[in-house]
Amino acid sequence: EVGCRALAEGLEWMNLKAAEIRLDGNDLGDAGCRALADGLCGMTELTSLGLFLGRNRVCKVGFMVVAEVVARFSDLRVLQLDMSENRSGPDGMIALADGLRP
C-alpha cells in the first residue's frame, strides 16, 4: 500500500492523455487499489488507460474501487484492464461490470 500511495501522489499532478500502469503480482490488495485510484482521479485528461493489476489479492472492494475510478473518465476511449487471478468472487466481477457500463 505504501508504494501505491507514493505512485498515486506522483500521478496526481500528471495530466497525461495516455497511461499504462503495470503492477501485476505486487500484493496490492484492496488498500493498494484505493491508493492507486486516488492518484488516478487527478488524471482528468485520460483518453487511453492500460491498468494491469493481475495477481494482487484484490477482493470485491478493490474491484469496486477500480470500476468507480474508471467510470469517472468521461473522455476515456481505450481501456485495457487486467484484473486476472485476484479474489473478486462473483460479487466483485458484477461490481466491476456494473461500474464499466456506459
Side-chain angles (χ1 to χ4, degrees), residues 23-58:
L23 296 172
D24 306 71
N26 280 287
D27 198 21
L28 304 178
D30 292 340
C33 280
R34 171 59 67 195
L36 180 61
D38 290 346
L40 286 172
C41 285
M43 300 176 74
T44 58
E45 302 271 328
L46 275 181
T47 59
S48 177
L49 175 63
L51 191 55
F52 301 89
L53 301 174
R55 301 178 322 276
N56 274 298
R57 298 185 185 185
V58 178

Side-chain angles (χ1 to χ4, degrees), residues 1 45 72 90 95:
E1 178 187 355
E45 302 271 328
R72 291 182 186 174

Side-chain angles (χ1 to χ4, degrees), residues 15-17 40-49 66-79 99-102:
N15 208 9
L16 302 173
K17 292 200 179 280
L40 286 172
C41 285
M43 300 176 74
T44 58
E45 302 271 328
L46 275 181
T47 59
S48 177
L49 175 63
V66 169
E68 288 170 9
V69 74
V70 168
R72 291 182 186 174
F73 297 123
S74 59
D75 292 333
L76 196 62
R77 298 294 174 250
V78 176
L79 174 65
L100 294 177
R101 286 191 184 138

